[in-house]
Amino acid sequence: MNPILVLLPAAPAGGLIAGTAEAIGAAASIGTPIAVVTGPADALPELAEQAASFGAVRVHTAVVEGPELGAPAADAFEAAARLVQPELVLVPATVEGREAAGRLAARLRAPIAADIVGVTRDEQGVVVRHSVYGGAYDVESAATYGPLIATMRLGSIDDRAEAATPDVQPLEVTASGRRAATIERFEPVTQVSTRPDLRTAKRIVSGGRGLGSKEQFALIEQLADTLGAAVGASRAAVDAGYVDPSAQVGQTGTSVSPDLYLAVGISGAIQHRAGMQTAKTIVAIDRDASAPIFEIADLGVVGDLFTIVPQLTAALEARKG
Amino acid sequence: MKIVVLLKPVPDTYGQRVLDLETGLADRAASETVIDEIGERALEAALRHAEQAGDVEVVVLSMAPADSQSALRKGLAMGAASAVHVADERLAGADYVRTAEVLAAALRKTGFDLVITGDASTDGTGGVMAAMLAELLDAPGITRLESLEITADAVRGTRATDGGSMVVQAALPAVVSVTEALPDPRFPALRGIMNAKKKPVEQLTLDDLPLDEVGAALDETASPRSIMLSVAERPPRSAGTIITDEGDAGERIAAFLAERRLA
Ligand SMILES: Cc1cc2nc3c(=O)[nH]c(=O)nc-3n(C[C@H](O)[C@H](O)[C@H](O)COP(=O)(O)OP(=O)(O)OC[C@H]3O[C@@H](n4cnc5c(N)ncnc54)[C@H](O)[C@@H]3O)c2cc1C
């Protein structure tokens, strides 16, 4: 039945980590998705039910609460891997997901496929796909002996599984007693945003240094809201404090492949392009006609963003009627 | 106190990075190799601590081909006291686990109170190494620190995670990784560059490492954990229509988006 184990550490702010539905969807496309969920005792039943609603045919649960960082969840994931003996372990590549993948791989001495964007099966077994050097190369790899532990780039897989009837099985976990850091407190990001998640958004409006200030960056937010888009940014905009670091797109930020990427006041440095050049349609606004962003834009507009963006927002609003 | 900073030589992101279409490995002749910038930030954090606390030794460590010592030299020029270079032909194409085993064994040999790494490299983008090292070394691990404060027996800081940030602390010895939110690295001064030439670089091969202490074999070249099946280069993207604003560009973009059903 080709069991595929999906690791689901609870998100620190509550709920399942982002990317859960697509990880389970990807697992279902090549085998039987089995999830292992860790989290506080009182939240587990609901988390397990959610995992089943995304298509996990069996959900193993383990209570992980208290201030220790990383190691206790790893104990649970290790127990699940030994029990399920999966062919592939899939983990959404969020911060907690990568932590779980790294720790499990070290314990099992199992191969890691990092930041995969696709998974298929051939006669030999599971094959994973990577997008390397900012989308310049497509690489396929496979494990020679498993299980392969793959972290999955969010927003890269469209497969979704049908909801399954919850079959929840608490896991027996022996504490490893590994030394761990202590969490003193957690602070959720304050502004509760109704905007789509940058990592999985179909449309993104990104602003760069050209916006000039945090106040003026609001132009990007307004345009994004009109389009129902997520807000992105260049590193220069993040460094200047216009926007939260989680909005950074690029080499060292998030890699995105939306249907629309609208870059505003972003020159298009190679490290920025590395995170967005696989977008289906790219529109760029910049006053410098020689900005490298224009080399990859489907529509490039040379001009002042401070006049163009308000006009664009108004025109889109008008079209909405 | 001994702080070991891990530096990874990577293809310069400012240049064209090339994969060998036969092996799937980086074509190292095609682009310049530099220290990954995030490693420089990790080193900057260590050096700042060493400058204000007494009796702190900063060591830089790389696992890298024999001819890529320049990364370590730059680390020494920035101010590290010494360097450790693990180079061995049996490590060509080493995967994550192998790399973690070798670094962990090298860290055991060198000794450490604190290990600082970047959170993810610009070439592998895996973001798993610090967590793996914490496991292999049975040390507390904190990934993705946006700030850090080091004391004689602990490390503490803010960890950027999914949906918020955590204040986390760990007793030493510990392994941490840092993000780009840390201050920009310094440029090596001329004096630093001159001094670097006199600083010790310890050369190690697999035979010098206590691999058994981290449960690893000496030579794993015969049984790779994973294999590359295919590599294909994507055609580069080409430019579309470029227009200059004549007062109606906002309208024209809106029309373009509507036509493509993107608005
Ligand atoms: C290791 C490494 C990793 C990096 N990772 C990333 C990354 O993940 N993401 C990233 O973005 N960068 C990254 N960078 C930084 C990158 O090299 C650039 O510095 C950065 O992308 C520049 O951001 P920007 O385009 O906003 O700023 P700039 O390059 O300064 O561009 C601003 C643009 O705004 C335009 N402009 C100004 N005013 C107006 C106006 N009124 N109207 C219209 N246009 C205007 C200017 O013409 C200019 O083209 C990385 C660098 C390194 C070394």
Side-chain angles (χ1 to χ4, degrees):
Chain A
M1 66 158 204
N2 299 318
I4 313 289
L5 184 65
V6 180
L7 307 187
L8 299 176
L16 292 170
I17 53 172
T20 297
E22 55 182 305
I24 294 175
S29 73
I30 52 156
T32 308
I34 298 174
V36 47
V37 180
T38 61
D42 57 356
L44 272 183
E46 200 189 318
L47 296 179
E49 205 160 303
Q50 270 178 31
S53 77
F54 290 134
V57 299
R58 197 164 82 223
V59 183
H60 292 289
T61 55
V63 176
V64 172
E65 48 196 3
E68 286 187 300
L69 179 67
D75 294 347
F77 296 138
E78 183 183 0
R82 297 203 188 277
L83 178 76
V84 173
Q85 298 286 325
E87 187 181 17
L88 171 72
V89 177
L90 270 179
V91 198
T94 72
V95 173
E96 300 301 340
R98 291 199 302 258
E99 174 99 19
R103 287 181 179 269
L104 182 63
R107 290 185 183 200
L108 303 180
R109 305 294 161 110
I112 289 191
D115 203 27
I116 66 161
V117 295
V119 48
T120 51
R121 175 183 290 288
D122 69 8
E123 317 79 65
Q124 316 272 335
V126 172
V127 175
V128 293
R129 201 156 48 79
H130 310 255
S131 176
V132 178
Y133 290 165
Y137 295 89
D138 289 315
V139 175
E140 285 186 329
S141 69
T144 43
Y145 52 94
L148 179 64
I149 299 176
T151 60
M152 226 183 70
R153 185 183 295 181
L154 266 61
S156 59
I157 288 170
D158 291 327
D159 295 306
R160 294 293 181 275
E162 272 177 38
T165 331
D167 170 9
V168 181
Q169 301 184 9
L171 202 60
E172 240 171 78
V173 182
T174 334
S176 64
R178 283 230 161 86
R179 279 185 271 255
T182 313
I183 304 167
E184 289 178 4
R185 60 172 193 274
F186 171 73
E187 276 159 30
V189 275
T190 40
Q191 88 272 32
V192 210
S193 168
T194 50
R195 293 192 188 110
D197 185 333
L198 173 68
R199 298 167 296 188
T200 52
K202 292 287 173 215
R203 297 170 193 170
I204 296 170
V205 179
S206 257
R209 199 192 323 252
L211 269 300
S213 71
K214 189 179 164 74
E215 291 67 41
Q216 296 179 123
F217 200 84
L219 285 175
I220 296 298
E221 289 156 8
Q222 285 152 11
L223 177 54
D225 290 343
T226 303
L227 278 167
V231 169
S234 70
R235 185 165 94 174
V238 167
D239 284 351
Y242 303 167
V243 55
D244 190 78
S246 59
Q248 184 174 321
V249 170
Q251 180 66 67
T252 46
T254 303
S255 287
V256 297
S257 288
D259 292 341
L260 172 65
Y261 191 87
L262 212 165
V264 181
I266 293 179
S267 64
I270 193 161
Q271 296 93 351
H272 187 80
R273 296 196 324 244
M276 45 65 74
Q277 63 196 357
T278 56
K280 288 202 187 81
T281 300
I282 297 173
V283 176
I285 303 171
D286 199 289
R287 69 176 174 203
D288 176 2
S290 63
I293 193 76
F294 290 133
E295 291 163 19
I296 57 164
D298 297 284
L299 175 63
V301 178
V302 182
D304 184 1
L305 72 90
F306 293 107
T307 57
I308 298 171
V309 172
Q311 189 183 67
L312 171 57
T313 307
L316 291 169
E317 287 291 353
R319 275 171 191 271
K320 277 206 246 170
Chain B
M1 169 184 301
K2 189 189 267 188
I3 302 179
V4 184
V5 176
L6 305 190
L7 297 181
K8 184 177 183 187
V10 297
D12 191 350
T13 57
Y14 282 105
Q16 176 83 9
R17 296 177 295 170
V18 182
L19 274 192
D20 183 321
L21 296 176
E22 288 291 313
T23 62
L25 300 177
D27 181 345
R28 298 197 313 116
S31 46
E32 201 192 331
T33 301
V34 299
I35 315 186
D36 213 346
E37 189 203 56
I38 194 67
E40 292 185 20
R41 281 180 207 262
L43 177 55
E44 179 65 36
L47 293 172
R48 286 189 186 196
H49 177 65
E51 279 158 6
Q52 41 117 333
D55 204 23
V56 176
E57 180 191 356
V58 178
V59 180
V60 285
L61 165 65
S62 283
M63 175 187 122
D67 61 1
S68 48
Q69 247 198 37
S70 59
L72 289 170
R73 287 279 166 215
K74 178 157 185 204
L76 294 173
M78 281 174 67
S82 63
V84 179
H85 182 186
V86 181
D88 197 304
E89 280 173 6
R90 291 168 288 184
L91 290 173
D95 74 340
Y96 283 97
V97 171
R98 188 59 178 155
T99 305
E101 287 177 345
V102 169
L103 289 173
L107 286 163
R108 277 256 183 280
K109 183 176 168 71
T110 306
F112 63 93
D113 295 292
L114 179 63
V115 179
I116 312 182
T117 81
D119 68 326
S121 65
T122 49
D123 57 349
T125 67
V128 291
M129 197 49 69
M132 295 179 87
L133 290 174
E135 283 287 333
L136 294 180
L137 294 164
D138 188 14
I142 312 176
T143 52
R144 291 183 54 80
L145 282 175
E146 290 191 314
S147 65
L148 83 167
E149 191 188 309
I150 305 163
T151 58
D153 47 20
V155 55
R156 186 165 179 280
T158 308
R159 171 177 185 256
T161 182
D162 305 327
S165 58
M166 286 173 176
V167 177
V168 185
Q169 69 117 15
L172 301 183
V175 178
V176 302
S177 74
V178 298
T179 75
E180 280 185 348
L182 260 74
D184 286 340
R186 67 192 65 191
F187 290 104
L190 185 61
R191 205 162 61 96
I193 297 169
M194 298 310 291
N195 283 346
K197 300 200 169 110
K198 289 175 246 148
K199 290 178 178 172
V201 179
E202 189 180 9
Q203 294 282 351
L204 300 174
T205 70
L206 288 178
D207 301 296
D208 302 315
L209 298 181
L211 282 154
D212 53 330
E213 283 180 31
V214 295
L218 175 63
D219 188 353
E220 293 185 357
T221 42
S223 53
R225 286 180 188 81
S226 55
I227 45 166
M228 195 272 307
L229 300 176
S230 71
V231 194
E233 198 171 354
R234 286 229 193 130
R237 212 179 165 111
S238 51
T241 315
I242 309 290
I243 59 170
T244 301
D245 183 23
E246 285 163 357
D248 63 347
E251 302 279 355
R252 291 177 68 178
I253 299 171
F256 173 90
L257 296 180
E259 199 181 293
R260 300 210 175 190
R261 298 185 187 286
L262 291 166

